[in-house]
Amino acid sequence: MKRFDNIFIRRIKEALSDYNVDHLADEGWNNFIRKKKKRAGIIIPLWAKAASVAVLLTTAGIITYKSFLSIGNPDGRPTATAVKQETYDEVANDTIMVEKETTPKDIIVAADIIERQPVLTVKSSTGQYIVKETVANHYTAIRKIPVSLSDLNLGINIKGYLDEKVWHYADFSPAMIDYEVPEKGKDRTNLLAGLSGMMAQVDNSVSANPATSLGIYLERSISERISFRPGIAITMQGYDLNNGVLKENDVFAAPVVNGASGSLDSYEAQLNLLALEIPVNIVFKVWERHKSMVFVSTGASTMVYLNQKFNGSFINAYTRQSYNDLTGITTYETNYSEVDVENNYGAFSHVDFFGLANFSAGYSIPFGKSNRLLIEPFIKLPISDLTSLDLRVFYGGMSLKLRFLE
Amino acid sequence: MGKRRSNVHERPDLELITGSLKGILYFQEALYKRYFSYAMSVAIRYAVNRSEAIEIVNDSFMKVLEKLGTYDNSKPFKPWYVKIIVNTAIDSYRKKIKKDENLLNIDTDYDEKGKEPEIETELTVNDILNLFSNMPDIYKLTFNLYEIEGYNHKEIGSILGISESTSRSNLTRAKKLLRKLYVKYINSSETNNEAV
């Protein structure tokens, strides 16, 4: 049977080698276009992708933040209530050697350690309190006497909270904690979530579609007035690209046709994109009163493009010059061709490292029991050309951020 | 303003590929149509009928456009395209067996009696389609991958998720069945040349 098989296989190859169904190509192409449109129709819309990514980012941020807090608490310190109880038991038998004339026998921890962070007060049996140096310095009117942490002998559990060596034996009452406490201790980190709306300007043309951005940020205090604020945000934008905006016009121009060179006459195009913005900003506190604060911020953002959908219609002009020997007249004939362009640049196809410079000024007010609302107008200027189309994009907008667990 | 597309079909492959990569529709159309017959000649071996072959070609071309950025233009386009078509046909088969797992296991044995049939006349595409459309998909796929595309049984086994010996046995059965179908539909007075 091998002979049959060999001949049979050869015949199959022969029969298909000159198979010609070009007459079906149009039908096939039409089916293909229909299928392509149908497939494009069921693509998850940008907003849904953005929402999903935002949910994931928020979840990841909260988990990171929580793990960050637990790293800052390596001894697995108990909760505020537990600390209060244990500290009481441990400290109650000790004597605070603050001043020789006072020998308190009964000491209690008066502050609500977690909620009132970083204000921690210790009350002695004489009715006086011991407070951190920063707290004592803030309340200039109170009488205070410096005391070393080693002299307090408060016990290991509470010592975890005592990041300052010098405390003050002071005329201070826990009721005063209701007043603003200016201490922004070192190594403090807050989680922020933000929503931004902005307008984009490409070249001289302001885009009709507002862009939106949703992000999470970590704000870490470097000093009393300066904080470092990295973050990650998902942003959706759409630009109308008018004539002259694209730098690489020639990529869409048709090549020479019948000896006539083509040049781009005009175009209408649009770029819709979904990007991950990774800002790294420094925040400077410029003014503070009671619980409100004014700040300015500057930094740079890296843009990672998750999706860039470009479509446009390009009109190319072809001019043919002909010279009539008899009449000596040169004539020009111009024809136009229209090219539809649709291009999807895939995820991570382009990254602009520190492509945007960020500038903002903001106002911070208390929001709820322990949060803060930041109202922050901003501008973003291009440091380099952005997107796969190398655009110079300027942004201006407003950001609302919520800072948790103040 | 009219669209000037008249000369696009004369352009070299590389130009069509570059234009398609930029998303220019009429370059994509020209590329699709240039290789349509060739793509159909590959797809039709895996399909039940012409419509299914066009489906395979269209799915393949969709993948071509998606992966065009990874295409190495120093190598010929045709073999690259064929590989995508064959993979698409295999995907299509996998989808079918997901719907009906029985398609994977066909125990039918095809008895072979009598002499080896003679092949005297040339086969037409319709003949081939007629034969293949009467074969179980797994046999058709094994036969094509082994005899036409040049895969070995180990590769076929790994592609179709079957053992090497099953692939061998499927090929033997496919050949037996083809001979039987050849005698029944082509080398007999009752040849059935259903137009496809």
Side-chain angles (χ1 to χ4, degrees), chain A residues 92-304:
Chain A
N93 296 325
D94 294 331
T95 302
I96 296 183
M97 302 299 292
V98 178
E99 286 182 336
K100 292 200 174 171
E101 65 268 24
T102 58
T103 51
K105 290 175 184 168
D106 189 19
I107 301 169
I108 62 163
V109 177
D112 184 348
I113 293 167
I114 295 298
E115 290 183 12
R116 303 291 185 180
Q117 276 271 38
V119 178
L120 177 71
T121 55
V122 180
K123 188 179 180 184
S124 76
S125 58
T126 59
Q128 290 176 299
Y129 293 86
I130 300 158
V131 294
K132 287 182 177 184
E133 184 174 36
T134 42
V135 177
N137 289 344
H138 180 67
Y139 299 101
T140 50
I142 64 174
R143 187 175 68 90
K144 59 198 179 193
I145 302 163
V147 59
S148 167
L149 178 63
S150 56
D151 292 335
L152 291 174
N153 196 18
L154 291 174
I156 188 70
N157 286 325
I158 200 165
K159 274 183 183 170
Y161 289 94
L162 308 181
D163 52 354
E164 290 181 30
K165 288 184 179 173
V166 178
W167 284 52
H168 287 264
Y169 192 69
D171 292 338
F172 182 82
S173 156
M176 293 172 74
I177 295 167
D178 290 340
Y179 294 101
E180 182 184 13
V181 177
E183 180 190 33
K184 303 295 176 199
K186 289 172 188 172
D187 302 330
R188 292 203 57 213
T189 305
N190 287 92
L191 177 71
L192 294 88
L195 174 70
S196 304
M198 62 194 121
M199 297 303 291
Q201 181 179 318
V202 184
D203 205 33
N204 290 320
S205 156
V206 177
S207 177
N209 307 319
T212 52
S213 168
L214 202 59
I216 53 169
Y217 312 85
L218 280 179
E219 191 169 284
R220 190 169 177 82
S221 301
I222 299 171
S223 71
E224 198 176 313
R225 288 196 168 271
I226 302 172
S227 306
F228 173 63
R229 189 200 286 166
I232 189 163
I234 187 91
T235 173
M236 276 191 304
Q237 303 164 9
Y239 317 128
D240 291 324
L241 307 173
N242 299 326
N243 298 329
V245 171
L246 292 171
K247 287 192 170 174
E248 292 186 30
N249 292 342
D250 56 333
V251 296
F252 302 112
V256 173
V257 175
N258 298 331
S261 58
S263 63
L264 188 61
D265 182 70
S266 60
Y267 59 82
E268 285 175 9
Q270 194 176 41
L271 178 69
N272 289 303
L273 59 85
L274 182 69
L276 212 54
E277 182 186 353
I278 304 165
V280 178
N281 292 329
I282 303 282
V283 182
F284 302 92
K285 190 179 4 172
V286 290
W287 178 82
E288 189 174 19
R289 187 172 180 188
H290 297 299
K291 292 183 177 179
S292 303
M293 184 176 79
V294 173
F295 60 90
V296 292
S297 156
T298 184
S301 289
T302 295
M303 301 294 284
V304 180

